[in-house]
Amino acid sequence: MADIASVSRTTLTHSAEHRTQEKSSTLAADHTDAFIKSEAAFTPAYTKRSAQKQASDNNLTQRENSEDKVGAIKQSEGSNKSELMAEGVQHIIRAMLVKQGEVLTGNIPSIGAKLYSDELLSQIRRLYGNSAEAEETPEYWSSENTAHRLLMFFDCVSVDGDKFNLLERSFRGAFNDTEQLFGGRGRLPLESYETRALVNEKYFSVQGNNGNI
């Protein structure tokens, strides 16, 4: 599956929103993680286009240095392939957390973040067997349901090396990024923090104690 690059810069004017929607949709369609269905699961696989540079979204503050980061990764593909994977996994996790925050608070963190999140969720919708309409309901984004879907996604991630460390870093980074998009620490809905606690309890604590990485 292709690595997820940064979203284009957006403004809040009507014409710019239209351009952003078109460009964001194209980027996500070309570079998002595509799940390939097998008999038992969806297994992610990246293509070489993962390392292509894309412009950062002005509203996604945590991605402002993405071009430098991707450039550094391109210089040492072998040892840094896991970093590309972590970036892609982090984008998928953040898409879910951003949508959870949007639906439960009624606030849109930014036009770019919303468009990118919606497009990524559409790419993995078949994994969960849900509809776009279901993603607009508070029940869908309850802490228990969201944690369950995150754990399903974790099980689908296939990497060489330390999967536990990659998922832990990606989840922590995605959660921190989402907090910043919504205004900082403590600004997400309660369900988001409950989701984090459930994921830590049911996955990271268990996997860490078992040494299953």
Side-chain angles (χ1 to χ4, degrees):
M1 62 181 178
D3 179 41
I4 307 159
S6 307
V7 188
S8 302
R9 294 184 176 273
T10 61
T11 67
L12 298 180
T13 65
H14 178 72
S15 60
E17 286 180 15
H18 180 69
R19 291 195 302 272
T20 298
Q21 184 171 6
E22 291 180 346
K23 193 165 186 179
S24 187
S25 214
T26 300
L27 284 175
D30 290 344
H31 301 285
T32 192
D33 293 329
F35 287 85
I36 304 170
K37 189 173 184 180
S38 66
E39 290 182 0
F42 293 88
T43 303
Y46 281 89
T47 70
K48 291 182 179 178
R49 291 191 302 167
S50 316
Q52 291 179 348
K53 292 183 181 180
Q54 301 293 339
S56 297
D57 180 349
N58 188 46
N59 292 309
L60 298 176
T61 57
Q62 73 284 358
R63 302 292 298 157
E64 288 181 349
N65 296 319
S66 61
E67 289 192 0
D68 291 338
K69 190 180 299 181
V70 171
I73 290 173
K74 288 177 69 178
Q75 294 176 9
S76 53
E77 284 186 9
S79 61
N80 286 305
K81 188 176 294 185
S82 64
E83 294 303 317
L84 287 172
M85 186 67 169
E87 287 283 335
V89 170
Q90 183 167 323
H91 275 266
I92 293 293
I93 297 171
R94 188 175 63 198
M96 287 191 263
L97 294 173
V98 166
K99 190 65 177 181
Q100 181 189 47
E102 176 197 333
V103 171
L104 296 180
T105 66
N107 297 324
I108 297 176
S110 75
I111 300 298
K114 174 179 171 55
L115 292 174
Y116 199 52
S117 175
D118 287 349
E119 186 60 36
L120 292 183
L121 290 177
S122 74
Q123 298 296 314
I124 63 170
R125 197 165 286 145
R126 58 178 174 163
L127 172 64
Y128 303 115
N130 64 277
S131 65
E133 290 76 17
E135 292 172 4
E136 300 298 329
T137 64
E139 293 77 17
Y140 186 85
W141 296 109
S142 71
S143 54
E144 293 82 4
N145 289 337
T146 306
H148 175 68
R149 283 190 295 274
L150 283 166
L151 297 188
M152 286 180 62
F153 173 65
F154 289 175
D155 287 340
C156 292
V157 174
S158 177
V159 298
D160 295 329
D162 194 339
K163 176 178 175 178
F164 176 83
N165 181 265
L166 181 147
L167 289 174
E168 188 176 41
R169 289 188 293 114
S170 297
F171 181 72
R172 183 172 60 249
F175 197 93
N176 291 340
D177 289 350
T178 305
E179 271 195 319
Q180 292 304 310
L181 285 170
F182 279 83
R185 183 172 297 181
R187 301 300 296 274
L188 291 173
L190 175 62
E191 289 85 350
S192 296
Y193 297 99
E194 292 175 342
T195 297
R196 180 176 63 179
L198 286 170
V199 170
N200 284 332
E201 174 190 346
K202 295 184 177 182
Y203 189 86
F204 294 117
S205 292
V206 173
Q207 299 291 342
N209 290 336
N210 292 340
N212 182 7
I213 58 176

